[in-house]
Amino acid sequence: MSEITPETERELVIIGVDNAAFSPLLEILEERKTVLPEQLRLLEEEDSEADPQVFANRNITVQSLEQFAFGPQQVVLLLKGGAAGQAALAAAEEAGAWVLDASDNTRGDESVAVVHPLLNAGAIASAERHVLALPASGAAMVAEALLPLRDRVQAVEVQLNQPVSALGKAAVDSMAAQTARMFNAQEVDVDPEVGHRLAFNHLSSSDALLESGHSLRELALVHDLRRLLGEDIAVDACINTASVFHGQLANLRVVLKDEADLEQLRALLRNGTGLKLEDRPSAQDAVGGDITLVGRLRQSLLSRRQVNFCAVSDNLRKDLAINCVQIVQLLLKNH
């Protein structure tokens, strides 16, 4: 029989069973024994008819989001966006629960702390509200890769190649169906949400462009990197979408305050928390793993103060699921 403690009396509520990150999230929660089956509540919109989910050899019923009663003993992990996500966030916060937004419901709200468990976990204690936000897609990986060099960096340009799973489960399903049709020599329609074919393609942008030429996703990446690393670092970003299901790769062009010493920088990256230095890292190498791979460190041909290198990680397991679970653990234990 499980020991009853103040921590085990808490509940973890996950909203958004149909999210692409839900399965790896459940795996990490079970691997790390973050919660007991009786502490876990799964919610989805009433008309979704979601099947029960297996967790720690127990079937967990997916309950109706619309009929669920939130309470102050809960930590709510929000994987759902849109009107349903916004309504759930408001109801949970009003009930006194802690809310971790992993679906951009609070994007642009400066009253919500953007938290990375490695970089700024202390921001939880000083949070203005009981609402936290996970960094934008790719921001966690890039921030981890830059952290060992943080005090030396003046500016960084990020070229993020995101996988289709960064666009959501519907995009993954759409690309799978398109791939099957193309292998059978059938015509393939463009994805209605993206406006391009996803299978066997590489998109300069999967989102509508603003007047500046950036997308909202790119500006969110810039915003969150500056919040995590400091406003004194100049940041620009471009996000492409590659025709792969999982695994992201970012090429980083880093301008340093002083002339680069490659051996010193390589040593800093090698000793970085959660990083592994490799000659030619690939997204395939990172998928299913719990660390960020960095490599191809080289002197830029444009400036003695610029170095270029890349970072890769599993966008769902590493950047979303593991970071979410670490924050949930802190909330359940200390808040």
Side-chain angles (χ1 to χ4, degrees):
M1 185 173 181
S2 302
E3 181 184 356
I4 302 299
T5 68
E7 185 177 338
T8 59
E9 290 177 349
R10 306 285 299 278
E11 291 181 347
L12 173 61
V13 181
I14 302 177
I15 303 174
V17 173
D18 62 349
N19 188 283
F22 176 76
S23 291
L25 177 64
L26 218 58
E27 289 175 9
I28 299 296
L29 287 169
E30 184 169 347
E31 287 174 12
R32 302 196 174 191
K33 298 179 170 59
T34 304
V35 292
L36 303 171
E38 54 265 30
Q39 290 177 270
L40 185 60
R41 304 287 179 266
L42 304 178
L43 308 184
E44 190 49 86
E45 292 180 82
E46 200 164 43
D47 58 1
S48 69
E49 298 181 355
D51 294 327
Q53 303 293 312
V54 178
F55 177 75
N57 297 318
R58 292 266 297 274
N59 281 334
I60 309 296
T61 301
V62 179
Q63 302 178 58
S64 165
L65 171 58
E66 291 84 351
Q67 297 181 26
F68 188 76
F70 294 99
Q73 81 281 10
Q74 297 164 350
V75 172
V76 177
L77 179 48
L78 191 53
L79 300 178
K80 179 169 288 293
Q86 295 279 355
L89 190 155
E93 183 179 15
E94 184 178 1
W98 275 96
V99 181
L100 175 56
D101 178 21
S103 197
D104 291 342
N105 291 286
T106 55
R107 179 64 56 212
D109 188 340
E110 295 298 320
S111 71
V112 174
V114 175
V115 177
H116 186 296
L118 173 64
L119 277 75
N120 67 338
I124 299 174
S126 58
E128 182 178 336
R129 299 161 56 187
H130 278 199
V131 181
L132 310 173
L134 207 66
S137 178
M141 177 187 72
V142 173
E144 288 180 21
L146 291 173
L147 183 60
L149 315 181
R150 165 67 186 82
D151 294 337
R152 302 162 187 260
V153 176
Q154 178 177 310
V156 60
E157 182 181 357
V158 180
Q159 177 85 37
L160 176 64
N161 294 286
Q162 69 178 7
V164 169
S165 58
L167 305 180
K169 187 176 183 299
V172 171
D173 294 341
S174 178
M175 189 174 85
Q178 291 175 18
T179 302
R181 290 182 65 84
M182 292 182 72
F183 274 127
N184 286 285
Q186 296 175 325
E187 289 292 327
V188 175
D189 295 329
V190 301
D191 184 275
E193 294 295 322
V194 176
H196 292 276
R197 192 185 75 211
L198 291 172
F200 300 100
N201 203 355
H202 200 154
L203 309 182
S204 62
S205 175
S206 59
D207 304 302
L209 301 181
L210 306 173
E211 189 173 344
S212 68
H214 291 86
S215 68
L216 281 175
R217 203 180 297 257
E218 290 164 346
L219 294 183
L221 174 57
V222 170
H223 175 270
D224 286 359
L225 279 176
R226 298 190 70 182
R227 289 186 75 173
L228 292 172
L229 295 173
E231 295 292 335
D232 57 318
I233 296 180
V235 182
D236 197 4
C238 176
I239 300 179
N240 305 142
T241 301
S243 187
V244 296
F245 287 108
H246 307 297
Q248 59 188 356
L249 183 151
N251 288 304
L252 308 177
R253 302 180 182 93
V254 183
V255 178
L256 303 170
K257 297 174 182 176
D258 301 301
E259 187 170 316
D261 180 332
L262 285 186
E263 286 309 308
Q264 189 177 66
L265 298 178
R266 190 171 284 111
L268 289 171
L269 289 171
R270 185 178 292 112
N271 294 321
T273 303
L275 302 182
K276 182 180 179 182
L277 190 63
E278 294 193 348
D279 289 338
R280 296 191 300 159
S282 74
Q284 180 183 351
D285 297 331
V287 169
D290 296 354
I291 59 175
T292 294
L293 306 179
V294 294
R296 294 208 65 206
L297 178 67
R298 59 204 185 276
Q299 177 77 60
S300 170
L301 300 179
L302 302 178
S303 168
R304 298 294 301 173
R305 292 196 299 116
Q306 180 176 322
V307 294
N308 302 329
F309 68 101
C310 70
V312 298
S313 71
D314 187 323
N315 59 301
L316 296 182
R317 179 180 173 88
K318 171 65 176 72
D319 276 20
L320 200 152
I322 290 178
N323 285 343
C324 276
V325 169
Q326 290 177 330
I327 295 171
V328 165
Q329 287 173 326
L330 291 172
L331 291 173
L332 290 172
K333 185 176 181 180
N334 301 323
H335 301 276

